[in-house]
Amino acid sequence: MSIPPSRSRPWSPYLGGALAGLLVVLSVFVAGKYFGASTTFVRGAGFVESLLAPERVAAMPYFIKEAPKLDWQALFVVGILVGAALASQVSGTFRVQSVPDSFDRRFGGSALRRGAVAFLGGVLAMFGARLADGCPSGHGLSGTLQLSVSGFIALACFFIGGIITARMQYKGR
């Protein structure tokens, strides 16, 4: 399905936020599960490593606490990818792109440099998520839904970090 560019229109962030909030409430009522995504990547890495060196993974303190497995959170992460693809198709904004256009203006035309910056950003985001024992979906959506003080503090920190990063990235534009 392809919509002409003149008719394409991104989804309202307010509608997206409301739908995410509705989805997390339904997730708790139907499945008794709160959102969380970052642990999936760590568990997935441990799952793959356990196929190659199971005794090493079994001895790691983190994987004693968090069993390396593919569970409902892995399906949640896959659902995020599929849902984003469907939403962009419906809105007519779908396109394959390695990094945002703004990276070209900010970091230059070198694909290697832009890719390295994007990779470094992902590494920092994952490190922060592990350090905080959760990501924006875990602390921000699920934590605040439970009225957790740590969720509100983490959410405030996510917004402050996002504002600082956006100002650096877009230089006030």
Side-chain angles (χ1 to χ4, degrees):
M1 177 173 71
S2 178
I3 298 173
S6 62
R7 296 185 58 202
S8 68
R9 187 170 166 205
W11 285 57
S12 162
Y14 303 110
L15 176 62
L19 290 174
L22 180 63
L23 187 60
V24 71
V25 170
L26 286 174
S27 172
V28 172
F29 278 118
V30 173
K33 304 285 185 188
Y34 289 94
F35 282 1
S38 61
T39 304
T40 300
F41 296 102
V42 181
R43 283 184 177 163
F47 180 78
V48 170
E49 187 175 355
S50 70
L51 297 175
L52 304 171
E55 64 286 342
R56 178 179 158 82
V57 172
M60 297 176 117
Y62 182 84
F63 290 122
I64 292 171
K65 182 182 129 201
E66 294 285 341
K69 61 184 177 184
L70 299 177
D71 60 0
W72 71 271
Q73 281 189 330
L75 294 176
F76 174 68
V77 170
V78 171
I80 291 171
L81 181 67
V82 171
L86 287 173
S88 65
Q89 284 286 345
V90 168
S91 68
T93 58
F94 179 83
R95 65 181 169 161
V96 176
Q97 184 177 22
S98 59
V99 292
D101 293 334
S102 61
F103 274 44
D104 191 41
R105 292 186 295 271
R106 178 69 173 97
F107 301 107
S110 168
L112 182 62
R113 178 184 291 170
R114 289 177 289 153
V117 168
F119 182 79
L120 179 62
V123 168
L124 288 174
M126 184 55 75
F127 179 76
R130 291 298 82 215
L131 194 64
D133 202 22
C135 61
S137 63
H139 281 299
L141 289 174
S142 297
T144 55
L145 182 68
Q146 298 172 74
L147 302 177
S148 163
V149 173
S150 65
F152 284 103
I153 291 171
L155 187 63
C157 291
F158 295 140
F159 272 98
I160 291 168
I163 290 168
I164 292 170
T165 303
R167 292 191 67 81
M168 289 171 50
Q169 173 70 23
Y170 299 111
K171 295 184 176 181
R173 283 183 272 156

